[in-house]
Amino acid sequence: MRLPLSLRLVGALRRRLGGSVAHLDPADVPAARAAVLRLQHGPLARAVMGSPPREVVVEDARLPTAAVPDGLAVRVYRPPSTDAPAPVVVNFHGGGFVQGDLDQSEWFCAHVAREAGAVVVSVDYRLAPEHPFPVPAQDGYDAVAALAADPGGWGIDAGRIAVMGDSAGGNIATVVCLMARDRRREGQDGPRIAAQVLVYPGVEMVDVLPSERTIPVAPILSAADIRGFHALYLAGADGTAPYASPLRADLRELPPALVQTAEHDPLRDHGERYVTALAGAGVAVRHTRYLGAAHGYVATGGLTPRTSLQAVAEAGAFLRTHM
């Protein structure tokens, strides 16, 4: 399908708001990231991202972990009614492991909380290049483990945990599943994760997949951005490591997965090859390619409501089934 006008406008707006920091020297990233975030918190950008449902209660908190004793910042979304204790979905935002924040995931998390009837906890993990691989992924695991260890304090059911993420956050979500499984294989305690929702995830850090060549430029993300983000995240580490490139991992015994991809996205083949790999490992997996959609649709609910709301409905139904 042809790229809709609304998505071309998203691309133009993104360029106006400062675009990507993927190609900067690592020392220049923090200041550039802060400048982009200031622009993206303006009224025009907020209109593009959309507003959360009024009936969902939103609160900010801190989640202490072993690596961050004073706590990772989290944003908690509670639907108007749910079980007590409630199922919980732990979310990781996108941004190439280098940028992004809790605000950009607010529309998505709030709508998923309502649709799934679950508490959603969105995690502000530490970012590269200040905190390169594997810190963001380890923060993700530590956040899930901390929630599972203190379910009463959060009003959640430790037996009904799911993870969710878009783009780099999708990578973190599925790597958290790998980490939890590996710890149990080693005889350690590890949180049991019931489901994973991966929205246009990036799962390969080394090989250039075909969609990166056929869709080199897209409204939200370019193929060059992908490689720039990966370089900043890895900071010289081995990109073939399973916790960096989960497409290369042993995927057996992972929880059921929903994988969403977008037609106009250089990351499209990442998600779709991951679907094939999960199925080959015996993991129950559902896949939907959103036609006419581009990377970033869960962060543009105000401008792309048709695609974004359909994606939320699918994620909510999947989570209800598996939690």
Side-chain angles (χ1 to χ4, degrees):
M1 294 177 64
R2 185 179 178 185
L3 189 67
L5 175 60
S6 62
L7 293 180
R8 296 199 293 272
L9 292 174
V10 168
L13 176 62
R14 181 174 181 274
R15 290 189 292 273
R16 181 177 178 183
L17 293 178
S20 168
V21 302
H23 312 290
L24 298 179
D25 183 276
D28 296 329
V29 168
R33 178 200 298 140
V36 170
L37 286 178
R38 284 194 296 271
L39 290 170
Q40 290 180 343
H41 290 169
L44 182 57
R46 297 294 297 180
V48 169
M49 288 189 288
S51 300
R54 293 181 180 274
E55 65 269 29
V56 174
V57 177
V58 183
E59 58 182 347
D60 288 325
R62 298 199 74 84
L63 178 62
T65 67
V68 189
D70 61 340
L72 294 167
V74 296
R75 189 163 294 166
V76 183
Y77 303 84
R78 298 187 185 274
S81 62
T82 186
D83 300 341
V88 62
V89 182
V90 187
N91 179 74
F92 307 102
H93 65 75
F97 310 96
V98 173
Q99 58 188 108
D101 64 358
L102 298 177
D103 287 346
Q104 77 179 42
S105 293
E106 183 161 285
W107 184 95
F108 183 49
C109 289
H111 279 81
V112 167
R114 184 179 65 178
E115 289 293 321
V119 172
V120 175
V121 179
S122 189
V123 179
D124 196 18
Y125 55 89
R126 291 174 290 173
L127 298 174
E130 304 97 307
H131 304 283
F133 173 79
V135 172
Q138 188 63 53
D139 278 353
Y141 176 82
D142 289 347
V144 172
L147 289 166
D150 183 25
W154 296 86
I156 60 172
D157 183 350
R160 292 189 292 167
I161 299 175
V163 292
M164 176 173 76
D166 65 295
S167 195
N171 175 293
I172 291 172
T174 202
V175 168
V176 167
C177 295
L178 289 169
M179 290 178 168
R181 181 210 59 193
D182 290 348
R183 281 160 175 74
R184 292 196 303 274
R185 283 180 171 179
E186 294 165 0
Q188 305 175 34
D189 289 335
R192 295 195 174 273
I193 300 172
Q196 50 181 329
V197 174
L198 314 176
V199 181
Y200 37 78
V203 294
E204 171 55 51
M205 293 280 173
V206 177
D207 291 346
V208 176
L209 301 189
S211 58
E212 296 177 56
R213 296 189 178 93
T214 58
I215 314 169
V217 179
I220 300 295
L221 182 74
S222 71
D225 287 342
I226 294 170
R227 294 299 138 188
F229 283 134
H230 289 177
L232 289 167
Y233 179 47
L234 292 172
D238 180 8
T240 68
Y243 291 169
S245 295
L247 186 59
R248 298 170 180 262
D250 171 6
L251 302 178
R252 292 173 296 172
E253 303 171 47
L254 292 191
L258 167 64
V259 181
Q260 296 181 353
T261 57
E263 179 183 12
H264 302 288
D265 184 359
L267 277 179
R268 187 184 67 207
D269 285 350
H270 285 243
E272 296 184 3
R273 288 198 177 186
Y274 200 53
V275 168
T276 301
L278 286 168
V283 177
V285 58
R286 172 186 172 90
H287 169 241
T288 301
R289 178 193 287 186
Y290 281 84
L291 300 180
H295 188 90
Y297 58 75
V298 297
T300 59
L303 190 62
T304 59
R306 182 174 179 179
T307 297
S308 303
L309 288 171
Q310 184 179 351
V312 163
E314 182 184 34
F318 177 82
L319 290 164
R320 283 184 182 275
T321 297
H322 292 284
M323 294 205 298

